[in-house]
Amino acid sequence: PRPRERDFRGDAVIAAAPKALVDRLKALGRARGGASLYMVLLAAWSGFLHRLSGQDDIVVAGASSGREQAAVARAVGMFVNTIAFRTRPDAALPFAAHLDAVARVALAAYDHGDFPFEAAAALAGPPPPGRNAVFDTMLSYENATARAFRIADLNFTSREIAMQAAMFDLALDITEIDGALTLRFNFATQLFDRATIEHWAAAFSQMLAAIADNPDGPIGGIDLVTPGQAAVIAALNDTAADYPREATLVGLFDAAAAAHAARPAVVSGDTVLTYAELGAAADALAAAIAGRVAAGACVGMLLPRSEWCVVAELAILKAGCVFVPLDCGHPPAVLAHILNDSNCAAVIVDAGTAALLPGTVR
């Protein structure tokens, strides 16, 4: 669960998008009415978060230079303002159409880019404990053509700094260098494991390639299962195993009971039945069933959850009959339909459930 108090501790996972892919994403933006690369990435990030969360109202924060006014256009200082982009992704919508909608949202937001975010947040009211105001995720983009430069006698170079803080739940910081993208997924360690973000980073990179390949495909149809995850899924589903194909369930139980007679077989509240006790109780009830019902007939069981459910099911099978489970919560009409449809020859009940049987069965 989300903690009520944030510790702002964070970590980061780095991924990359090659220049060839970035060129295709830029071309996609140009083909959709001149959308910028940032708009394409914003649409992709919004669609990706929709796929992860299932939510169709995704607010992503971005930034405005804050220099729209001529008075500060050339001033030295920090004027960046936060902008909230409210997007409405839909799994059935083609990505290209989603991009068109996101581009319109972005342009409208930029028209009000100098409106102080603090004022917008105040209008939204105080956030719930442990949450940010208005948004919990951010997408930033920087076109850093020069990573090393010189001013007078000073040389400047960039250095990677380990990210140990997180202002938001999840932020994607994208830097374009020489046409390729570096994607930094900064996350709150209170909320996410690093392995989760590593998978998401790979899946988002895969999504970028998918929308470049087929922008007219629906957002919900984009394959986010990475090769590594596909291998894990395949391994988990590789459950084929050799087993005694001619053995019956009753035979397998009897063999287990003979090998582990004193071990617990059923635990129900304070009641514990060993394999030997379960087998003896089932054999006694099976004998009673066989004395009243022909082998192969359907026998119902209408009992509350207890150790007797296991005894009764095993007894029905030991008697050579077909087990028909009945739910004590079903109305009489439903029980009557099941009993008539299965042509039950008998029903195992207790003092409390006998009254639940339809009148035609009593």
Side-chain angles (χ1 to χ4, degrees), residues 266-268 271 273 278 281-282 285 289 299-317 323-328 348-350 353:
V266 178
V267 177
S268 177
T271 301
L273 296 181
L278 174 59
L285 183 55
I289 295 172
V299 176
M301 183 192 76
L302 184 62
L303 295 174
R305 183 183 293 271
S306 71
E307 68 277 10
W308 285 104
C309 290
V310 182
V311 172
E313 179 178 355
L314 185 57
I316 292 170
L317 298 178
F323 170 61
V324 180
L326 300 168
D327 192 329
C328 297
I348 299 175
V349 296
D350 64 11
T353 60

Side-chain angles (χ1 to χ4, degrees), residues 276-293:
E277 292 168 336
L278 174 59
D283 286 340
L285 183 55
I289 295 172
R292 294 170 174 79
V293 177

